[in-house]
Amino acid sequence: MLNLQEIIFRLQQFWSSRNCVIQQPYDVEMGAGTMHPETFLRVLGPEPYRVGYVMPSRRPADGRYGDNPNRVYKHLQFQVILKPSPDDVQDQYVQSLAALGIDLRQHDFRFEEDNWEAPTLGAWGVGWQVLLDGLEISQFTYFQQAGGLDLDPISCEITYGLERICTFIVGSDSIYDLPWQAGRSYGDIRYWEEVEFSRYNFEEADVAMLRQLFELYEKEASRLMERGLPLPAYDYCLRCSHTFNLLDARGAISVTQRVQIIGRVRKLACAIARLYVQKREELGFPFLAPAPAEETHHG
Amino acid sequence: MAKEFLLEIGCEEIPAWMIPDALDFLADRLSAILVEHHLPIQRPRVLATPRRLVLHAPDMPERQPDRDEVVTGPPTAIACDAEGRFTKAAEGFARKQGVTPQALAVITTDKGEYIGLHRRVAGRPARDVLAEILPELIGAVPFPKTMYWRPDRFRFVRPVRSLLAILGGEIIPFTLAGVTAGDRTFGHRFLGAPQIQVKNFAEYVQRLRDNFVIVSPEERRAKIVTEIQSREKETGCQVWPDDALLAEVVYLNEFPTVIRGGFEERFLGIPREVLITVMRKHQKYFAMTRTDGALAPTFLAVTNMADDSEGLIRLGHERVLRARLVDAEFFWNGDRKVSLEERRRQLAGVLFQETLGNYLEKSDRLAALADCLAETHSLAPEAREGLVQAARLCKTDLVTEMVKELTELQGIMGGLYAREEGRPTEVWQVIYEHYRPEGLDDPPPETPGGALLALTDKTDNLVGMFGIGHVPSGSKDPFGLRRQAAALYRICLHHGLDFDLRRLLDTAADLLRDRLTVQPAELFGTLQEFLAARLRFFYQNDGFRYDEINAVLTRAVYRPVDGRRRLEALVAIRQVAAFQSIFTAQKRIKNILAKEADGRVREAPRPDLFQQEEEKQLFAVAEKLAGAVAGAIAAQRYGEALGHIEQFSRPVDVFFDEVLVMHPDPAVCDNRLRLLERVSRIFDSFCDFSQFVME
């Protein structure tokens, strides 16, 4: 039976052997693996790309002080981007589950409609949640737009909920009982973090400071764009987004403000997306040339 | 000779709710296109699973018939000169058609004479025609949401991955979205073969069945129903009926198998409304009840597998449901720690609509409207107090965790939490019901208080949205205002609530006056027309005819129950011969008065100016009956009112036979117009009889 870190190894191995770049988590807080520059920026423009990585997703409002066996403020996603989306992408995904030792002839598996939308990123796509015996283990999306730009080619995004998959494999009733590694449970590694961050997110986060930070981050992102630096600008855009999530968890955002702030972050994200494509174009879209390694590693 | 046609569009999983409409479109459109192409067929049979849309027509003509065709060229005036010889234009046309000018003939059409030619066209094989029209047909399916996935920007609901298209066993050659049509289908994703060759429909159905795909939705439905029934027998429990869920699971599976699972008894402490919603919404499970009607700790899941002999699938589903129930239990316990009054204050931070303000303001408006309705309907003091309380608190559940998670429980949770606070039935049940009816299948509120609160909510929504210019148009109705208006009428008609709806709407507009951006005259003009369309629908559903509805509609918009009473009275008399005279007379009078209209209301007729006996008689009848008609109408004794009106039939007939309205003496003429207007007003006080269409 695989533990959490072995699931990660298998997925990395599986997608690496299918010609994906295996990337690392990004070192800025974010609410979903989609916001990682390796997804949000790479899906823009005409260049093909294949990548897989683990991304811890922080959603301050989801914290439950470690009390809820199924909800946590931070969870782990394994994210795959296949650009352009291959014709047999569903089959490839199914094979990746087989690589985790899941025998799908013994289980109730389905793709059920679930379209994805990220208003702060000006992004949306069409797809499904993947249900395994009624448990949502993945999100499967054909991106249609990101940063307000129509995408061409279309990327397929597969997001594995790692805790969910581990829950399924192990048959555990609490996330904290999952085996992280042979001798250490998820709770051993993460429980205290959930307690402290729940306290921080709901009680201690300094609202006045966060409001100031939001303004500063936003200003810095705009300045960096003027300097023609979309990548650092995007870091600040991510910080805006996370700061907004913290304020939201603190209950410091009214409905009207909410719409407004989402609009401000989206404006940044859309401007960054345009600038990024422009930069890649100036570079001559280098990935349009076939990667030298493609032939030797394929299959 | 007829040939069998079979088309299967193999697709990645299509959202279940979109499939039935797509099938209808495909069947209708294919029949229509084929008629245009001289290949008439019966409406094709349609089948589908989440991964395939299927059309089957056993009666496809092998080829189009040979037929005569007329090709029209330039008008004769251009094609022939003065001597009748062909001009350059005619010769050019002949050359283009590949014939000599001798073959041209004169063709007479509605628009005049043209030069043209008759030609015999050989019919083409159906296979060639189908190869051309199928890609267009498939691309035209109007799914509510589509996507693209290929550089060619072809749009469909999800990627098309395979095409099977055969006519009489032969492949119909075409390519769509990079997929070439063939004679192969595919089985169940895990239990079947990935490629299956077939020659005809019978083989197609059978081979798929062998590969764990039941392609007929009816058959899948029957399998699910049978298995639900046998689970009922095993457990002695009854399934909680849910037709919408059944319709959905039919299209979520290729090979449905019903399994039974359970949960711990302790979760039965959570209200049944919550348990059922958790099971159906997130998990698509059917709930079950015990013989005493209480919920059982049992559920039925429809899986996409042949069996679950190891019980692994059941264990998985039980574990997922347990996690969801733990959440629901947490919300149920946590939410009750905050009082509804406290939550009411939090509503100040929840926006109803940007221009229309927050929910605290909205619930204050609802309380004012509720008080106004309570007065109109002379509610007893406790009921009145309860209704106003309910209005103040009815939106508080929007800030509970349960409703944030399960939005479809809005209202219901408010009611349950109010009950938990020990509030009386006049309050909690009224809150509980006030969103009803949510759709055509949802019943209106049962209690009078629930009905009245629902009316205030829908009134405030309609006046608010119309008052800031959010008027539904075409398929755009983001706030569901058509549903709200329909609900308004359903509640009134169901409960027989006969009151002046306009006064309620006016009060709502008055409460919103500082926020509305549309002037009241314009607001009510648009709203009245909108409401009339909804009301017409209900009257039609009750079996009233178009012209009868037209006769009462203007008045009925704000008095729907009264309108229905008038309609019921009208049905009884529309075949009565005497009323045919009234219908005709009212049409004539309205025509005459319309021509002479100068906007002013005429004065009463002067008896001294009458010249003929027939005028005097009609006047006498009007004088005699006006009061009686008015009295009967005021008392809503509509049969009696019509009985009085019927007495006009002979006098008006005689009047129109013998009296010339347009008398040369203007004073006499004007007096006759006055008389007609007087009579017309009496008729109109019941309804607009001129709207009746006579057989």
Side-chain angles (χ1 to χ4, degrees):
Chain A
M1 205 175 281
L2 299 185
N3 59 39
L4 186 65
Q5 67 191 33
E6 285 164 341
I7 291 172
I8 295 172
F9 301 153
R10 292 273 182 104
L11 288 174
Q12 287 181 337
Q13 201 57 54
F14 179 88
W15 289 108
S16 174
S17 73
R18 276 168 173 71
N19 217 26
C20 283
V21 171
I22 298 302
Q23 259 285 9
Q24 301 305 312
Y26 203 59
D27 52 354
V28 175
E29 305 101 315
M30 57 182 72
T34 306
M35 304 175 93
H36 194 306
E38 285 290 289
T39 292
F40 178 69
L41 296 176
R42 294 287 190 190
V43 299
L44 303 167
E47 297 169 276
Y49 199 62
R50 293 166 72 89
V51 66
Y53 54 87
V54 175
M55 187 68 220
S57 296
R58 302 197 194 208
R59 296 176 184 172
D62 284 357
R64 292 288 181 273
Y65 293 87
D67 288 341
N68 186 304
N70 309 299
R71 287 194 193 219
V72 283
Y73 123 84
K74 186 163 93 178
H75 69 281
L76 297 171
Q77 296 178 338
F78 190 88
Q79 165 97 354
V80 177
I81 288 293
L82 304 174
K83 178 190 181 188
S85 71
D87 287 349
D88 63 344
V89 60
Q90 281 191 325
D91 290 339
Q92 292 197 34
Y93 169 73
V94 165
Q95 286 156 20
S96 74
L97 296 183
L100 297 177
I102 299 172
D103 180 1
L104 291 171
R105 286 165 308 175
Q106 304 263 0
H107 293 284
D108 178 27
F109 173 96
R110 75 177 97 232
F111 288 106
E112 216 171 87
E113 181 192 18
D114 194 8
N115 300 322
W116 168 83
E117 189 180 10
T120 45
L121 295 179
W124 65 275
V126 166
W128 309 275
Q129 52 175 331
V130 179
L131 298 178
L132 196 48
D133 295 346
L135 179 69
E136 182 189 351
I137 56 162
S138 296
Q139 186 75 34
F140 200 109
T141 309
Y142 291 99
F143 280 7
Q144 304 287 296
Q145 255 197 359
L149 299 174
D150 282 339
L151 300 181
D152 185 12
I154 295 299
S155 299
C156 185
E157 179 202 56
I158 301 169
T159 304
Y160 300 79
L162 290 171
E163 288 90 343
R164 296 284 185 83
I165 288 176
C166 194
T167 296
F168 180 86
I169 291 175
V170 176
S172 155
D173 278 332
S174 167
I175 195 169
Y176 295 106
D177 295 338
L178 297 175
W180 187 296
Q181 172 253 26
R184 288 283 174 214
S185 73
Y186 193 87
D188 292 339
I189 309 288
R190 291 219 51 249
Y191 174 77
W192 198 244
E193 186 188 348
E194 282 295 324
V195 176
E196 276 202 11
F197 272 95
S198 293
R199 262 198 67 194
Y200 171 74
N201 297 334
F202 293 123
E203 300 167 37
E204 291 298 333
D206 184 333
V207 171
M209 179 199 73
L210 289 171
R211 287 194 203 283
Q212 271 181 358
L213 283 179
F214 185 91
E215 303 287 334
L216 290 173
Y217 291 152
E218 186 189 34
K219 216 175 278 170
E220 185 68 346
S222 304
R223 191 182 70 83
L224 291 168
M225 270 186 287
E226 278 164 31
R227 309 295 297 162
L229 294 170
L231 300 183
Y234 186 61
D235 277 11
Y236 281 92
C237 174
L238 289 175
R239 289 183 178 114
C240 282
S241 170
H242 183 64
T243 307
F244 161 68
N245 288 343
L246 283 171
L247 284 165
D248 201 23
R250 286 288 272 129
I253 307 233
S254 75
V255 184
T256 356
Q257 273 179 328
R258 179 188 193 81
V259 178
Q260 222 179 43
I261 294 185
I262 289 177
R264 278 161 72 178
V265 180
R266 181 173 53 236
K267 207 173 142 204
L268 286 179
C270 291
I272 290 166
R274 288 192 298 271
L275 184 59
Y276 173 82
V277 175
Q278 186 194 322
K279 285 273 161 186
R280 294 296 294 183
E281 192 171 11
E282 281 164 23
L283 293 172
F285 293 128
F287 288 177
L288 281 178
E294 200 158 325
E295 278 152 42
T296 44
H297 282 274
H298 195 73
Chain B
M1 205 186 77
K3 285 193 169 185
E4 186 188 68
F5 165 70
L6 176 61
L7 173 72
E8 179 197 65
I9 307 162
C11 198
E12 295 182 359
E13 277 76 355
I14 306 166
W17 61 281
M18 296 183 188
I19 295 177
D21 286 349
L23 292 178
D24 273 347
F25 172 86
L26 283 167
D28 292 343
R29 191 82 195 103
L30 179 66
S31 322
I33 299 179
L34 285 174
V35 168
E36 285 167 29
H37 286 83
H38 313 283
L39 291 168
I41 56 164
Q42 298 287 311
R43 192 175 193 272
R45 183 173 174 199
V46 285
L47 309 92
T49 76
R51 299 177 74 199
R52 55 198 96 220
L53 301 172
V54 183
L55 284 170
H56 171 236
D59 57 343
M60 186 75 69
E62 191 175 358
R63 57 189 307 127
Q64 298 169 323
D66 297 343
R67 58 195 186 278
D68 290 317
E69 212 177 74
V70 178
V71 187
T72 318
T76 317
I78 295 171
C80 300
D81 63 16
E83 280 84 48
R85 284 181 308 238
F86 287 131
T87 61
K88 290 263 185 247
E91 283 162 13
F93 170 71
R95 207 164 37 244
K96 218 168 119 200
Q97 296 299 322
V99 295
T100 57
Q102 284 74 34
L104 298 180
V106 173
I107 291 164
T108 312
T109 74
D110 304 344
K111 290 177 204 149
E113 286 193 349
Y114 292 82
I115 289 297
L117 60 98
H118 296 275
R119 191 155 56 183
R120 185 87 182 148
V121 181
R124 300 171 62 209
R127 184 164 163 259
D128 295 354
V129 177
L130 284 166
E132 284 168 19
I133 64 180
L134 288 179
E136 198 187 320
L137 170 74
I138 297 168
V141 183
F143 288 104
K145 186 164 196 159
T146 58
M147 58 171 283
Y148 47 80
W149 66 96
R150 286 171 46 77
D152 64 11
R153 308 305 254 188
F154 179 77
R155 292 191 82 92
F156 206 63
V157 59
R158 290 291 185 278
V160 175
R161 296 302 186 199
S162 102
L163 290 166
L164 176 152
I166 49 180
L167 181 67
E170 272 187 290
I171 293 173
I172 301 166
F174 71 96
T175 300
L176 174 88
V179 181
T180 302
D183 57 0
R184 277 151 214 265
T185 179
F186 53 96
H188 185 283
R189 196 189 286 281
F190 305 111
L191 304 175
Q195 290 231 358
I196 304 163
Q197 194 172 13
V198 297
K199 292 191 295 294
N200 56 49
F201 182 67
E203 190 189 18
Y204 170 77
V205 172
Q206 186 53 48
R207 293 293 309 278
L208 279 180
R209 176 84 205 199
D210 297 342
N211 283 274
F212 297 94
V213 175
I214 300 172
V215 74
S216 151
E218 294 78 24
E219 224 177 291
R220 287 198 304 278
R221 187 187 179 95
K223 186 174 190 290
I224 295 168
V225 170
T226 310
E227 293 182 14
I228 286 178
Q229 283 162 353
S230 59
R231 299 296 168 273
E232 285 179 327
K233 277 207 198 87
E234 278 163 28
T235 54
C237 293
Q238 290 284 310
V239 75
W240 180 268
D242 193 335
D243 287 342
L245 180 59
L246 180 59
E248 189 180 1
V249 293
V250 164
Y251 286 111
L252 276 178
N253 300 287
E254 299 214 285
F255 198 86
T257 299
V258 178
I259 63 165
R260 177 165 60 92
F263 54 87
E264 291 155 72
E265 289 267 349
R266 76 170 161 108
F267 291 121
L268 292 175
I270 305 169
R272 148 163 113 182
E273 292 86 344
V274 176
L275 292 173
I276 292 173
T277 306
V278 167
M279 285 190 259
R280 85 178 303 267
K281 179 187 179 182
H282 290 296
Q283 301 302 136
K284 315 221 187 294
Y285 300 157
F286 290 91
M288 298 194 93
T289 52
R290 293 174 162 137
T291 37
D292 63 358
L295 217 57
T298 310
F299 65 89
L300 300 180
V302 182
T303 68
N304 190 29
M305 289 304 278
D307 63 41
D308 182 31
S309 50
E310 312 271 319
L312 288 176
I313 298 176
R314 177 175 59 80
L315 277 177
H317 282 285
E318 286 178 344
R319 194 181 307 121
V320 177
L321 183 60
R322 191 180 314 129
R324 298 241 181 237
L325 293 179
V326 167
D327 265 2
E329 191 180 41
F330 177 81
F331 296 147
W332 172 242
N333 292 332
D335 283 346
R336 287 181 296 162
K337 289 179 186 150
V338 181
S339 74
L340 294 188
E341 279 296 339
E342 169 61 30
R343 292 198 185 279
R344 202 177 114 79
R345 283 190 281 281
Q346 296 171 11
L347 289 180
V350 184
L351 203 62
F352 165 52
Q353 203 282 336
E354 233 163 299
T355 316
L356 300 175
N358 63 47
Y359 269 103
L360 180 60
E361 293 162 321
K362 183 181 171 94
S363 38
D364 285 341
R365 288 198 301 273
L366 296 188
L369 288 173
D371 200 42
C372 156
L373 269 182
E375 192 176 353
T376 315
H377 291 85
S378 326
L379 289 196
E382 316 84 70
R384 182 170 181 168
E385 172 59 19
L387 181 61
V388 173
Q389 270 304 317
R392 289 181 72 249
L393 299 174
C394 68
K395 301 300 174 190
T396 53
D397 62 359
L398 295 176
V399 288
T400 63
E401 294 302 315
M402 189 76 86
V403 171
K404 285 185 202 164
E405 187 72 16
L406 301 167
T407 46
E408 60 268 64
L409 286 177
Q410 60 184 4
I412 292 172
M413 287 324 297
L416 294 176
Y417 289 138
R419 188 174 65 183
E420 290 289 309
E421 280 190 353
R423 293 182 188 269
T425 320
E426 290 87 5
V427 176
W428 77 259
Q429 196 166 5
V430 167
I431 298 176
Y432 185 96
E433 296 186 320
H434 87 278
Y435 281 98
R436 281 170 36 184
E438 300 247 39
L440 282 176
D441 300 327
D442 193 30
E446 274 167 39
T447 65
L452 294 180
L453 183 58
L455 288 183
T456 65
D457 195 22
K458 285 153 183 51
T459 301
D460 185 71
N461 290 340
L462 285 165
V463 172
M465 291 303 175
F466 273 73
I468 56 170
H470 287 305
V471 178
S473 69
S475 62
K476 288 206 181 79
D477 184 12
F479 304 101
L481 296 180
R482 288 196 183 94
R483 191 168 50 75
Q484 304 265 335
L488 195 73
Y489 283 129
R490 257 185 83 194
I491 294 167
C492 288
L493 292 169
H494 180 82
H495 284 273
L497 296 173
D498 186 22
F499 65 104
D500 186 0
L501 203 53
R502 177 63 196 253
R503 258 193 62 201
L504 182 67
L505 294 162
D506 277 333
T507 312
D510 193 45
L511 289 165
L512 279 161
R513 64 185 174 277
D514 298 336
R515 301 190 177 270
L516 301 188
T517 55
V518 176
Q519 290 305 310
E522 189 193 335
L523 192 174
F524 281 100
T526 327
L527 186 56
Q528 180 168 342
E529 197 181 318
F530 178 79
L531 289 172
R534 309 278 89 70
L535 183 58
R536 175 185 296 283
F537 170 81
F538 282 105
Y539 285 159
Q540 274 171 346
N541 262 8
D542 285 342
F544 296 112
R545 291 167 47 162
Y546 203 78
D547 55 347
E548 295 162 357
I549 297 171
N550 282 344
V552 304
L553 197 60
T554 314
R555 189 180 276 112
V557 165
Y558 297 127
R559 293 290 300 271
V561 174
D562 181 73
R564 187 170 59 188
R565 290 195 189 127
R566 289 180 199 237
L567 280 168
E568 281 159 358
L570 283 170
V571 168
I573 58 91
R574 81 166 290 156
Q575 299 301 338
V576 174
F579 273 94
Q580 311 309 308
S581 310
I582 306 283
F583 302 158
T584 320
Q586 182 69 323
K587 275 196 216 356
R588 284 181 77 172
I589 298 174
K590 290 213 163 171
N591 282 338
I592 294 168
L593 292 176
K595 267 184 224 146
E596 302 302 317
D598 49 8
R600 73 189 161 96
V601 176
R602 289 185 174 76
E603 289 165 39
R606 283 169 48 186
D608 58 306
L609 286 174
F610 289 134
Q611 309 264 310
Q612 291 176 239
E613 204 46 41
E614 294 80 3
E615 293 179 84
K616 290 177 191 161
Q617 263 177 27
L618 182 56
F619 180 65
V621 171
E623 289 304 290
K624 187 180 128 203
L625 293 176
V629 171
I633 289 177
Q636 294 185 311
R637 290 196 305 268
Y638 292 130
E640 184 189 319
L642 286 172
H644 296 313
I645 290 172
E646 189 178 359
Q647 295 182 43
F648 280 89
S649 70
R650 246 196 74 73
V652 289
D653 275 350
V654 177
F655 178 90
F656 278 117
D657 285 345
E658 303 299 334
V659 179
L660 179 69
V661 180
M662 294 302 138
H663 193 275
D665 178 348
V668 173
C669 174
D670 183 59
N671 200 48
R672 288 176 179 172
L673 290 173
R674 290 180 182 196
L675 173 60
L676 289 180
E677 189 172 288
R678 171 105 173 98
V679 170
S680 176
R681 278 176 191 284
I682 295 172
F683 292 167
D684 264 349
S685 68
F686 190 93
C687 74
D688 184 355
F689 288 101
S690 72
Q691 295 288 340
F692 277 87
V693 178
M694 275 172 294
E695 289 94 76

